[in-house]
Structures are given as structure tokens and as C-alpha cells.
């Protein structure tokens, strides 16, 4: 939610050098008009941002935007008509340029997408990814596994028509993965997920005590 870094104007997004100084070669101009809550790097080096902003450098953006390596808005990723009705808290880019977004929105591009949606490389909603009734509360974290399945964590207690407390896994098309069974799940919010690169063990962190 910052407006400057070390005395240099940087509205909600900045890039630092490895030593911690502001990288002046990355200049987002007027930046986002409200808080940026999530960041992700795509495989081509572009930066995807998510949050509760409605514009970036005075150009309309609906809660998510893609920036090039110099901080300029990538106009080929156009979310101006996405009309997300809530905050984007989590981002998970795919290798094909698509990006999965998670948050407390219920609609995306005029389609029902409670808590989660996938966007095409041009910023439009990917209709081939259909989570059904989605999450009944906020999605705070996303992670794509090597097999393409998507781990989802948050404050929800139900996903689509099944009870899933704080944690679930989706198949690449957005449907629940029947092979993933966390039992009673977490008894409070899941804020972060990590998968071990050595044995694929799944770690989760959050407010839960069981």
C-alpha cells in the first residue's frame, strides 16, 4: 500500500536491486491506484500484479495487470472489461501464458467464478476452466503442481458442492480432484502453500490449530 520507496515515488509496486536499492530501470509511472496484494513472475519475465486497484498508470485494469520488464503496462493483457467484483489475493501463472487468480470475487468477465478463475494470455476469462460454484469464501493462496493440478487455500469451508475446509485441489479444468482428500481439512484459514521439490510433500500455513 506504499506510495514511495526510499524517497522515490513508486505507487504500490516497485523493483529493488539485489542490494535493496530502488531499481530505477523499472518505472511503473503512476502505478496502481490502490493496494497490490499479490505478485507473480511469468515464465517470459513479465510481472503479474493482483489486488484491489481499478487502474494502472491511468489505464483501466480490473484488479489484475501484467507489466513488462521495465514496469510498463502490457496492453496485450487487457483486463479492463473483466469487471472483477472483489480483491485478487493470489496469482498462479502457467507456462502457456494463462494465469489463475484467486480472491474474494464472485464474477469475472460476466461469468460466475466464486473465488477463482483462469485468464487467457490476453486477459480474458478462460471458459475451459470451470470451477462450478467455486469457493464459498476467500481464496488466499494458489499453487500449480508439476502435473498441472492446482492447490487452493483460503477461508472457504465449501468448494462447489463439497465440504472442503481451507484446502482443496483442482484438476487443470477447474473440477475438484477426487484423488485429494484432506479429511476434515483445516479448522481455520489457510494463507500459504508450499510443495517440496524433492518428495512432493505439501506444506500449509495459516490460522489453523488442527
Amino acid at each position: 500500500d506504499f506510495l514511495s520507496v526510499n524517497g522515490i515515488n513508486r505507487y504500490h509496486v516497485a523493483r529493488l536491486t539485489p542490494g535493496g536499492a530502488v531499481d530505477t530501470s523499472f518505472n511503473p509511472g503512476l502505478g496502481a491506484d490502490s493496494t497490490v496484494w499479490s505478485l507473480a513472475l511469468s515464465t517470459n519475465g513479465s510481472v503479474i500484479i493482483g489486488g484491489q486497484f481499478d487502474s494502472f498508470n491511468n489505464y483501466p485494469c480490473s484488479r489484475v495487470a501484467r507489466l513488462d520488464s521495465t514496469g510498463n503496462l502490457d496492453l496485450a493483457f487487457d483486463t479492463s472489461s473483466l469487471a472483477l467484483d472483489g480483491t485478487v489475493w493470489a496469482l498462479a501463472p502457467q507456462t502457456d501464458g494463462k494465469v489463475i487468480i484467486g480472491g474474494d470475487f464472485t464474477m469475472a468477465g460476466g461469468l460466475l467464478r466464486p473465488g477463482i478463475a483462469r485468464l487467457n494470455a490476453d486477459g480474458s476469462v478462460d471458459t475451459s476452466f470451470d470451477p462450478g460454484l467455486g469457493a464459498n469464501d476467500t481464496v488466499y493462496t494458489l499453487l500449480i503442481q508439476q502435473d498441472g493440478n492446482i492447490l487452493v487455500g483460503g477461508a472457504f469451508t465449501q468448494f462447489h458442492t463439497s465440504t472442503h475446509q481451507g484446502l482443496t485441489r483442482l484438476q487443470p479444468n477447474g473440477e475438484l480432484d477426487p484423488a485429494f482428500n484432506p479429511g476434515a481439512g483445516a479448522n481455520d484459514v489457510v494463507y500459504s502453500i508450499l510443495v517440496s521439490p524433492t518428495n512432493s510433500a505439501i506444506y500449509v500455513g495459516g490460522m489453523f490449530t488442527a
Side-chain angles (χ1 to χ4, degrees):
D1 199 31
F2 54 86
L3 301 178
S4 68
V5 180
N6 200 25
I8 298 175
N9 290 341
R10 286 294 184 270
Y11 300 100
H12 307 292
V13 62
R15 186 169 69 197
L16 309 183
T17 68
V22 176
D23 183 352
T24 55
S25 69
F26 181 88
N27 186 356
L30 295 175
D33 68 345
S34 191
T35 309
V36 172
W37 288 108
S38 49
L39 295 166
L41 285 174
S42 61
T43 53
N44 67 0
S46 59
V47 182
I48 303 168
I49 64 172
Q52 58 193 66
F53 52 89
D54 293 310
S55 70
F56 191 91
N57 206 13
N58 278 342
Y59 190 89
C61 296
S62 182
R63 310 298 204 266
V64 60
R66 189 170 67 199
L67 314 180
D68 65 20
S69 60
T70 65
N72 290 317
L73 183 66
D74 182 354
L75 297 179
F77 185 79
D78 185 0
T79 64
S80 59
S81 60
L82 199 57
L84 291 172
D85 57 350
T87 299
V88 172
W89 293 97
L91 298 164
Q94 297 185 172
T95 56
D96 60 0
K98 296 181 180 182
V99 57
I100 302 170
I101 61 174
D104 54 25
F105 52 86
T106 59
M107 303 292 292
L111 301 174
L112 184 68
R113 290 292 187 273
I116 188 169
R118 186 166 65 197
L119 307 183
N120 292 308
D122 64 0
S124 61
V125 177
D126 181 0
T127 56
S128 70
F129 180 88
D130 187 355
L133 297 177
N136 69 343
D137 208 333
T138 306
V139 170
Y140 283 113
T141 183
L142 297 165
L143 191 148
I144 302 174
Q145 295 184 280
Q146 287 188 344
D147 60 5
N149 287 335
I150 306 131
L151 291 164
V152 184
F156 52 86
T157 57
Q158 183 170 306
F159 198 97
H160 191 44
T161 58
S162 300
T163 299
H164 288 261
Q165 302 234 141
L167 181 67
T168 193
R169 187 167 68 192
L170 308 182
Q171 299 177 91
N173 64 0
E175 295 180 2
L176 287 169
D177 181 0
F180 185 77
N181 181 13
N187 66 354
D188 212 327
V189 183
V190 171
Y191 283 116
S192 55
I193 301 173
L194 179 70
V195 174
S196 168
T198 56
N199 62 5
S200 299
I202 300 167
Y203 296 87
V204 296
M207 294 280 289
F208 54 86
T209 57

